[in-house]
Amino acid sequence: MNSAPEIWKRVLSLMEGELTSTTLNTWFDDTEALTLEEDRLVLYTPSNFKRDIISARYAQNIQKALRELFSADFEVKVLGEGEKEELGGPKANSFLPGTEEYTFDKFVVGSSNKFAYSAAVAVAEAPGKPKGYNPLFIYGESGLGKTHLLYGIAHAIHARYPDFRIVYIKGDAFTNELITAIREGKNQEFRDKYRSADVFLMDDVQFIAGRQASQEEMFHTFNSLYEAGRQIVFTADRPPKEMLRLDDRLKTRFEWGLPVDVQPPDYETRVAIIKNKAIRRGMNLPEPVLGYIAENITSNVRQIEGTVNKILAFQELMGEQVDVETVTRAVRDMFKDKTEFLPSADVIIEEVGKFYNILPEDIKGPARTKDVSLARQVAMYEIRRMTNLSLKEIGQQFEGRDHTTVMHSLKQIEGQIKEDPEMAEIIKDLNANINARYE
């Protein structure tokens, strides 16, 4: 195998087709490849901030390039300041890699999430007991910390009960795995994987609603785990009773235990979150800056984290003092009203394709099967509703279809929304998925 530096040059060359030269120069100018093992590439950058950005944003690009070079999957490990000595030690903990930051001690507790946090800690201390907390159902809008609590439960249980088999899965991934298992005749392997868990954690369970095979499998998986006294935890963007396309028998089971909601953080909690995330990145923000950010970002913890990252990048790259004026310049676009951000047609088509398990090119193309036609009509409806594109411009997104075809699609979906609660629920789910891409 070629040396790590040689391979890294080839990886950078391959990434030139996906990333701009500015991006490559900004984040990889001082990055070096230390080792290339059988299934792992270890990189080093002297900046811990760059280490975090590369790991979070560009690891997939690096893995894609390595896959193109070797036709195999590689783990990408990025080391920062003072971490080179890790090379002589064992590999990073394989338990939920990449989630090490999401622990209870790094979760900022406030009045908006205290109940959910306390319930999560109680479950982690005594999984499966008492039954009143099983299942634990955590719900709330996107970006409020539900996934952090889910990972926190996983890490706390793993630390107390290292022999426990903890299974984490997202709702859409559960559906995709089931489809693959059915296609490949591996139904039993699929069932064994989930029904043998000591702790079962599902993020975004709302994605199985309306999918008959997934709901049927979830029903039997839930029953097996519950009857065996295994701990079950779900997160969702709404309570079970508001999932109109969810089977009633699943709604009932999801409500057997303890449903807890997570609300947007109040001002004091937002200040605490900003201060916490800034300190962890080596930056002490002045009180006026903390107040400015907390006043302008009022609902989404994920956006708060993004704001802190951008301020730090601005300071590191521009070398300016952090005050309210420089923060305003650095993150002005993040304080705009959400209505100023419009999703692209490609993003909408991609999300509709994910929802219906249909390739975007098929939705755009000439296929006229019932499923593809419905997905195409829904995509046209969402593009018309969520963008400023004209009927003619929408038609051009679908291989130049006439504007009258678009008009017909809009009328079809509008009629279904009025007559069919399930279609209204589908549109609601799609809107949430599309908007989540821009948070």
Side-chain angles (χ1 to χ4, degrees):
M1 186 175 286
N2 294 322
S3 69
E6 290 175 347
I7 294 300
W8 179 234
K9 287 181 181 178
R10 295 173 65 184
V11 167
L12 288 172
S13 177
L14 287 171
M15 290 197 297
E16 287 177 355
E18 296 185 344
L19 304 176
T20 65
S21 58
T22 301
T23 297
L24 290 169
N25 291 333
T26 299
W27 301 112
F28 299 103
D29 61 332
D30 57 1
T31 302
E32 60 179 295
L34 299 180
T35 65
L36 183 66
E37 301 167 1
E38 184 177 353
D39 60 354
R40 185 172 75 152
L41 173 66
V42 181
L43 303 174
Y44 169 76
T45 175
S47 165
N48 287 340
F49 177 68
K50 285 188 177 182
R51 173 202 61 193
D52 295 339
I53 292 295
I54 293 171
S55 297
R57 298 183 186 174
Y58 304 111
Q60 289 185 339
N61 299 89
I62 298 170
Q63 288 171 326
K64 181 179 178 182
L66 288 168
R67 193 178 302 116
E68 186 170 338
L69 288 173
F70 298 104
S71 299
D73 292 327
F74 277 73
E75 174 192 355
V76 175
K77 174 70 175 177
V78 186
L79 303 180
E81 183 180 2
E83 294 180 331
K84 280 189 176 182
E85 58 271 18
E86 284 189 20
L87 284 179
K91 289 185 180 181
N93 192 333
S94 61
F95 178 72
L96 292 178
T99 70
E100 295 82 2
E101 288 291 311
Y102 298 100
T103 55
F104 286 144
D105 64 323
K106 295 178 182 175
F107 187 85
V108 179
V109 183
S111 59
S112 61
N113 58 29
K114 187 174 183 179
F115 184 35
Y117 171 80
S118 299
V121 171
V123 161
E125 290 176 347
K129 304 171 185 178
K131 278 199 170 182
Y133 291 8
N134 198 19
L136 176 63
F137 195 101
I138 306 171
Y139 65 93
E141 295 179 6
S142 177
L144 297 182
K146 303 186 301 295
T147 300
H148 189 145
L149 288 176
L150 204 62
Y151 285 140
I153 291 171
H155 285 293
I157 293 177
H158 181 66
R160 284 190 181 90
Y161 309 98
D163 294 333
F164 271 28
R165 186 167 182 273
I166 302 172
V167 174
Y168 167 87
I169 188 73
K170 292 180 69 70
D172 54 348
F174 183 85
T175 294
N176 293 337
E177 280 190 26
L178 177 60
I179 292 171
T180 301
I182 293 173
R183 185 184 301 125
E184 297 178 357
K186 297 181 178 179
N187 303 51
Q188 192 56 49
E189 290 92 330
F190 177 88
R191 290 165 184 162
D192 290 343
K193 174 181 177 180
Y194 294 107
R195 298 182 194 181
S196 63
D198 295 298
V199 180
F200 178 78
L201 311 171
M202 177 172 280
D203 211 0
D204 293 325
V205 69
Q206 73 270 8
F207 287 127
I208 71 167
R211 301 173 185 272
Q212 196 53 46
S214 297
Q215 292 186 116
E216 182 70 21
E217 194 62 42
M218 174 54 66
F219 174 75
H220 295 293
T221 297
F222 183 100
N223 287 346
S224 296
L225 294 170
Y226 186 84
E227 290 167 6
R230 311 293 171 80
Q231 181 65 54
I232 305 167
V233 185
F234 296 112
T235 72
D237 62 354
R238 73 203 80 160
K241 64 182 179 181
E242 294 183 12
M243 296 182 190
L244 303 183
R245 296 184 301 124
L246 187 68
D247 283 352
D248 288 339
R249 58 183 180 172
L250 283 179
K251 286 183 187 178
T252 301
R253 281 161 174 77
F254 289 175
E255 293 172 340
W256 274 355
L258 179 64
V260 294
D261 69 329
V262 180
Q263 295 292 329
D266 57 21
Y267 177 82
E268 288 77 15
T269 306
R270 294 198 300 275
V271 169
I273 291 171
I274 297 163
K275 184 180 294 186
N276 178 282
K277 293 189 178 298
I279 289 173
R280 290 188 181 280
R281 285 160 177 76
M283 180 170 54
N284 189 18
L285 294 176
E287 289 296 329
V289 172
L290 291 171
Y292 178 78
I293 300 172
E295 288 171 3
N296 283 276
I297 297 183
T298 60
S299 61
N300 195 311
V301 177
R302 195 175 297 133
Q303 193 178 23
I304 289 174
E305 185 167 3
T307 303
V308 173
N309 287 341
K310 191 165 185 181
I311 293 169
L312 185 54
F314 191 83
Q315 182 187 35
E316 184 171 290
L317 298 173
M318 302 296 290
E320 297 198 30
Q321 183 69 27
V322 175
D323 54 26
V324 172
E325 184 179 348
T326 56
V327 167
T328 303
R329 290 207 317 275
V331 297
R332 186 181 294 116
D333 61 317
M334 302 182 77
F335 294 155
K336 294 178 182 178
D337 187 86
K338 279 191 175 181
T339 58
E340 296 182 46
F341 294 98
L342 298 177
S344 69
D346 284 340
V347 165
I348 293 173
I349 293 170
E350 182 181 336
E351 288 299 329
V352 171
K354 286 181 182 178
F355 188 88
Y356 285 103
N357 197 31
I358 297 173
L359 294 173
E361 49 265 36
D362 290 337
I363 294 177
K364 294 179 180 181
R368 294 180 178 273
T369 63
K370 183 178 179 180
D371 290 345
V372 173
S373 295
L374 175 60
R376 185 179 299 126
Q377 289 178 340
V378 169
M380 289 180 175
Y381 173 83
E382 287 288 71
I383 293 172
R384 180 61 170 171
R385 180 181 175 278
M386 303 183 78
T387 75
N388 291 327
L389 295 182
S390 66
L391 296 179
K392 181 179 180 181
E393 289 169 333
I394 294 173
Q396 291 172 351
Q397 299 292 324
F398 298 86
E399 296 191 346
R401 283 179 167 80
D402 190 80
H403 75 281
T404 57
T405 301
V406 179
M407 288 181 62
H408 173 74
S409 296
L410 300 182
K411 290 179 181 178
Q412 286 289 105
I413 300 303
E414 287 170 354
Q416 289 187 49
I417 291 172
K418 291 178 181 178
E419 299 173 4
D420 185 1
E422 181 174 340
M423 178 55 73
E425 187 78 356
I426 288 172
I427 296 299
K428 180 179 179 180
D429 285 342
L430 282 170
N431 292 342
N433 296 349
I434 293 165
N435 288 328
R437 295 278 293 269
Y438 292 87
E439 291 176 346

